[in-house]
Amino acid sequence: MTGIALGGGFSHPPEQAARAFRAVLEAVSRPGTIWTVEGAVPPAPLTVAAGTVLLTLADGTAPVHLAGDADCQPVRDWITFHIGAPLVGAEGAMFAVGRWQDLLPLGRFHPGDPDYPDRAATLIVLMNDLTNAGARLTGPGIKDAARLSLPEIAAFQRNAVQFPLGLDFIFTAGDRVAALPRSTKVEGAACM
Amino acid sequence: MNADSPTDQTARRDWMSALAKADPARLAALMPELPALEPLRPPEIGAVMVRGRVGATGAPFNLGEMTVTRCSVRLADGTVGHGYVQGRDQAHAMRAAALDALMQTDQAERLQTTVLDVLVAEADVARVQRAEKAAATKVDFFTMVRGEDA
Amino acid sequence: MYVAVKGGERAIDNAHAWLAEERRGDPGVAELGVAQIREQLALAVNRVMAEGSLFDPDLAALAIKQARGDLIEAVFLIRAYRTTLPRLGASNPVDTGAMAVDRRVSATFKDLPGGQILGPTFDYTHRLLDFKLAAEAAVPEAATAPALAGPVPHVTGFLNRDGLIEGAERSDATPPDLTREPMELPADRALRLQAITRGDEGFVLSMAYSTQRGYGRTHAFVGELRIGRVAVEMDIPELGFAIEIGEVELTECETVNQFKGSKTEPPQFTRGYGLVFGQSERKAIAMSLVDRALRWKELGEDDTGAPAQDEEFVLMHCDNIQATGFLEHIKLPHYVDFQSELELVRRLRAEAMAVQEAAE
């Protein structure tokens, strides 16, 4: 394991994890809202936000899938050292990280069991940008409607139909984070 | 990291194991000064699930957890050290990580004699003392001679 | 049904303050230190570690002090604390064959390699109160003898060689963990053992006793009981090899049970297994009896309907924190439930009296 992979963790884990957890909680509770998080400095292509979310939510018992170019040695080492999460294929993942195109098809991920819908995978999407424009979101946690620059529409609509099963999404760009839980209804044109 | 060859690995496992089980105060007394270091992973108190085996030799099962504190540091020269110690003493974990790093430098020989050998010897004495008390409670069966009419 | 009620804050604060005062007791009496509890009430500490499912003698001693000696309350504190700890990993299975034994006895073999080592046991005391302990007095040093060489082999190993006892098939399967996933029944043996080792000592003892009295009768001998320390080893991912991360005290009991054979198994001895944190002999023996009783299905034995054979009954009721939580919650405000019950009973009474009057 190289020395580089060993840096970039939380310097004050309890406070940083608590703040990040609060931000993710807000993002998931109010789909479409964008929050900033800090603390992690993970190897590329992980964003600060993706690294911080992983440090906060994943642990040795939460298997992580790395998709596309996120599946590189520095990222593997970094996750092993700071999180201890087992790195697995898409089917067994509790969390998955990658660019949108690399995460497809979504059918590979576990949408939860009827008895335990909470066992569904959460996908952490690496984006270049994240803005309140594009797809129209409605549903629990949203007053009237919200907009978020989702990478596409149809996949999220298909996902929402499976409710109470289905995947949850966390979008990250730089230190910004937004979320789309399976309960949110998605409409409108995709935004690049 | 220069602990990749099998013998180095065994040596490193031995010193890390000795540090894990050391009394924090005793270790601090033997090694009062910490070198300049950068924490890569600050001391973190956590739990490790201790496993046993069904029937002592069969399939594993989860027995219960124990507290463990871990820490990783980097010395000014770039050497990385890890500490995993039993209990919740953060200074103990930091000191163990620092010592693990120093044991990979030219200070190894000195620290082996002044710290590690002392810890191991003291642990041996404590273990033998207990084993001697246990040995004194070992039953020596003898058969009573039956009284026959002479 | 629950209704949020406000207004108790001051009463609660004052109750806590009084609790703290009562915990301290007469200030004229020296305060009890955590180290004193750890060293001098070690078996209470062991019980709290076993049922709290966390090996940390200092924490268990603190919990006992905070709980004023209520061990189930202390277990509750430990369970609550452990949920705040990140899980750093799982150890490699401990090797109890390499245990540094303080005590090791067998009820089945008199002359066994390593011998019968009594250790610091209550067994041969007369259970007469020792009034000398009421006064402070120096304790004479225990006798010593040359330490025995090497680890002490397991007794079941001898029977194993003759094929007279069932084997314990070795595997490296990852065991289920009821602290991470809700327990689902039927449970495999690994899950049952996890539930029982953290179960309430009194409950497990009573279940075991019931099997001895004939409810799911399995005639057990203690093949071996050992108490001592074992090293705990864990693989460290960033190193790529395993190190010892500490040492725990354990009590292990293997029972050997008479077994006439069944449709699926030949006549041979079968085994029950108990392994518990600390010096917890009663619990370890009880655990091995209950483990054996629960194995009726895999051994092709009859279900006699005994409580100790009923997996659901044993596993769902052995946890004293779940039990006490559900039991004690009924003392919390249920004003609205009771109000509706009250109205129901009044109405039924009125109806019953109306019928009675009409009849008269």
Side-chain angles (χ1 to χ4, degrees):
Chain A
M1 190 170 284
T2 61
I4 300 147
L6 305 183
F10 283 152
S11 50
H12 298 92
E15 296 86 353
Q16 288 167 314
R19 285 180 196 287
F21 186 83
R22 180 76 206 190
V24 174
L25 187 65
E26 292 287 353
V28 177
S29 315
R30 304 167 207 276
T33 57
I34 298 174
W35 301 80
T36 58
V37 293
E38 58 170 12
V41 188
L46 295 197
T47 54
V48 167
T52 304
V53 169
L54 278 174
L55 281 181
T56 305
L57 299 185
D59 67 9
T61 60
V64 171
H65 174 67
L66 300 173
D69 62 355
D71 188 14
C72 59
Q73 202 57 47
V75 171
R76 288 177 154 265
D77 286 350
W78 189 81
I79 287 177
T80 301
F81 180 68
H82 289 287
I83 298 166
L87 298 170
V88 299
E91 296 72 22
M94 201 173 282
F95 293 97
V97 196
R99 296 178 206 280
W100 181 248
Q101 290 307 323
D102 297 329
L103 289 167
L104 299 175
L106 298 185
R108 303 179 294 156
F109 297 100
H110 186 50
D113 306 316
D115 285 349
Y116 296 98
D118 54 300
R119 291 180 184 171
T122 298
L123 272 50
I124 301 168
V125 187
L126 306 175
M127 314 260 287
N128 293 327
D129 201 13
L130 200 56
T131 59
N132 288 119
R136 183 169 183 274
L137 313 182
T138 52
I142 304 171
K143 193 179 183 195
D144 304 325
R147 289 200 177 268
L148 190 64
S149 54
L150 297 181
E152 68 163 276
I153 301 293
F156 299 112
Q157 291 174 332
R158 282 194 299 275
N159 182 60
V161 168
Q162 303 180 69
F163 190 86
L165 304 189
L167 309 173
D168 303 304
F169 301 87
I170 296 173
F171 301 97
T172 70
D175 63 354
R176 290 153 67 78
V177 58
L180 187 75
R182 63 192 93 166
S183 54
T184 302
K185 194 176 166 205
V186 181
E187 303 161 290
C191 172
M192 287 299 107
Chain B
M1 197 173 297
N2 57 4
D4 287 341
S5 80
T7 39
D8 288 350
Q9 207 175 84
T10 309
R12 190 171 185 195
R13 190 179 60 207
D14 288 350
W15 78 59
M16 289 186 77
S17 302
L19 291 169
K21 295 183 285 187
D23 172 51
R26 184 64 184 138
L27 176 60
L30 291 170
M31 186 197 173
E33 301 285 323
L34 281 183
L37 52 82
E38 169 207 354
L40 293 170
R41 195 164 56 190
E44 178 184 22
I45 300 170
V48 165
M49 177 53 86
V50 180
R51 290 188 175 146
R53 284 190 185 278
V54 177
T57 54
F61 72 96
N62 291 309
L63 178 64
E65 290 165 307
M66 64 185 271
T67 50
V68 170
T69 304
R70 71 175 178 189
C71 176
S72 298
V73 301
R74 179 156 48 198
L75 302 181
D77 70 358
T79 313
V80 172
H82 304 290
Y84 278 78
V85 301
Q86 182 166 15
R88 291 164 288 113
D89 191 319
Q90 304 197 23
H92 182 198
M94 176 82 90
R95 190 165 267 110
L99 196 69
D100 177 51
L102 290 172
M103 285 300 291
Q104 302 167 61
T105 68
D106 57 9
Q107 299 201 50
E109 213 168 313
R110 181 179 64 82
L111 291 168
Q112 181 71 47
T113 335
T114 58
V115 180
L116 291 162
D117 288 350
V118 180
L119 289 175
V120 171
E122 287 173 358
D124 280 346
V125 168
R127 195 170 40 74
V128 168
Q129 277 176 351
R130 253 193 122 73
E132 286 175 346
K133 283 178 196 163
T137 67
K138 187 175 165 205
V139 181
D140 287 317
F141 287 107
F142 54 89
T143 309
M144 307 279 279
V145 176
R146 253 185 286 180
E148 302 284 338
D149 289 332
Chain C
M1 190 200 172
Y2 305 91
V3 176
V5 183
K6 283 198 165 192
E9 289 92 339
R10 195 177 46 83
I12 290 170
D13 286 346
N14 292 345
H16 286 171
W18 194 17
L19 169 63
E21 213 178 86
E22 289 287 301
R23 175 189 295 123
R24 176 60 185 88
D26 179 356
V29 176
E31 187 176 348
L32 193 54
V34 168
Q36 290 174 312
I37 297 172
R38 186 193 64 218
E39 296 300 315
Q40 297 172 38
L41 296 178
L43 300 191
V45 167
N46 287 342
R47 182 167 176 185
V48 170
M49 293 197 297
E51 294 170 26
S53 204
L54 184 69
F55 193 95
D56 188 319
D58 290 305
L59 274 185
L62 175 64
I64 290 169
K65 179 172 178 177
Q66 188 178 333
R68 305 178 66 196
D70 177 342
L71 296 190
I72 292 183
E73 180 71 15
V75 169
F76 200 161
L77 294 169
I78 292 298
R79 291 272 187 95
Y81 176 83
R82 72 150 284 281
T83 63
T84 67
L85 297 176
R87 175 72 66 83
L88 301 183
S91 81
N92 295 330
V94 291
D95 179 7
T96 53
M99 180 185 281
V101 296
D102 286 350
R103 169 166 169 79
R104 186 276 199 130
V105 292
S106 170
T108 52
F109 295 99
K110 181 165 68 75
D111 299 302
L112 70 173
Q116 309 266 2
I117 301 162
L118 301 181
T121 179
F122 290 129
D123 284 358
Y124 309 98
T125 63
H126 294 112
R127 266 68 185 229
L128 298 174
L129 275 176
D130 181 358
F131 290 98
K132 289 204 295 293
L133 287 173
E136 284 175 38
V139 180
E141 218 168 299
T144 60
L148 306 158
V152 180
H154 273 118
V155 167
T156 44
F158 315 140
L159 281 169
N160 241 351
R161 253 175 267 153
D162 302 333
L164 290 176
I165 191 165
E166 58 162 343
E169 209 166 308
R170 195 184 176 88
S171 93
D172 286 308
T174 302
D177 184 353
L178 61 82
T179 68
R180 309 299 277 196
E181 300 284 345
M183 187 160 61
E184 286 180 54
L185 302 178
D188 69 6
R189 196 173 171 197
L191 193 60
R192 296 198 300 251
L193 290 176
Q194 182 184 15
I196 300 168
T197 193
R198 72 210 296 268
D200 182 76
E201 180 170 317
F203 178 88
V204 180
L205 168 66
S206 295
M207 281 291 121
Y209 180 43
S210 75
T211 69
Q212 290 184 301
R213 289 195 64 252
Y215 290 86
R217 183 179 161 79
T218 54
H219 191 249
F221 299 96
V222 170
E224 179 168 357
L225 178 75
R226 54 170 65 197
I227 302 174
R229 283 148 217 274
V230 298
V232 181
E233 200 183 79
M234 181 167 77
D235 285 317
I236 307 296
E238 57 267 26
L239 295 175
F241 55 86
I243 64 164
E244 286 174 14
I245 51 169
E247 199 176 52
V248 293
E249 187 186 29
L250 298 177
T251 302
E252 182 185 52
C253 177
E254 286 223 72
T255 49
V256 175
N257 293 66
Q258 209 182 73
F259 182 62
K260 294 192 183 71
S262 69
K263 284 166 229 116
T264 54
E265 303 292 326
Q268 61 180 345
F269 290 108
T270 56
R271 303 157 71 163
Y273 189 65
L275 187 66
V276 185
F277 276 154
Q279 183 177 338
S280 309
E281 188 164 310
R282 184 184 304 117
K283 173 78 171 283
I285 300 171
M287 177 176 172
S288 57
L289 261 60
V290 174
D291 168 49
R292 177 59 188 81
L294 287 172
R295 297 183 60 213
W296 65 272
K297 209 179 281 178
E298 67 199 64
L299 293 169
E301 293 175 324
D302 293 330
D303 178 7
T304 62
Q309 286 183 312
D310 185 335
E311 176 179 86
E312 204 255 333
F313 186 85
V314 174
L315 300 187
M316 300 307 273
H317 299 125
C318 68
D319 192 290
N320 54 25
I321 299 310
Q322 285 173 7
T324 202
F326 200 68
L327 181 101
E328 294 197 40
H329 101 280
I330 61 172
K331 72 192 172 187
L332 299 173
H334 283 67
Y335 305 138
V336 174
D337 302 59
F338 191 69
Q339 204 58 43
S340 70
E341 298 267 320
L342 210 57
E343 270 164 35
L344 179 67
V345 171
R346 282 201 181 113
R347 189 162 50 78
L348 292 175
R349 267 178 74 96
E351 283 169 12
M353 275 151 93
V355 169
Q356 208 172 13
E357 276 166 25
E360 277 164 10

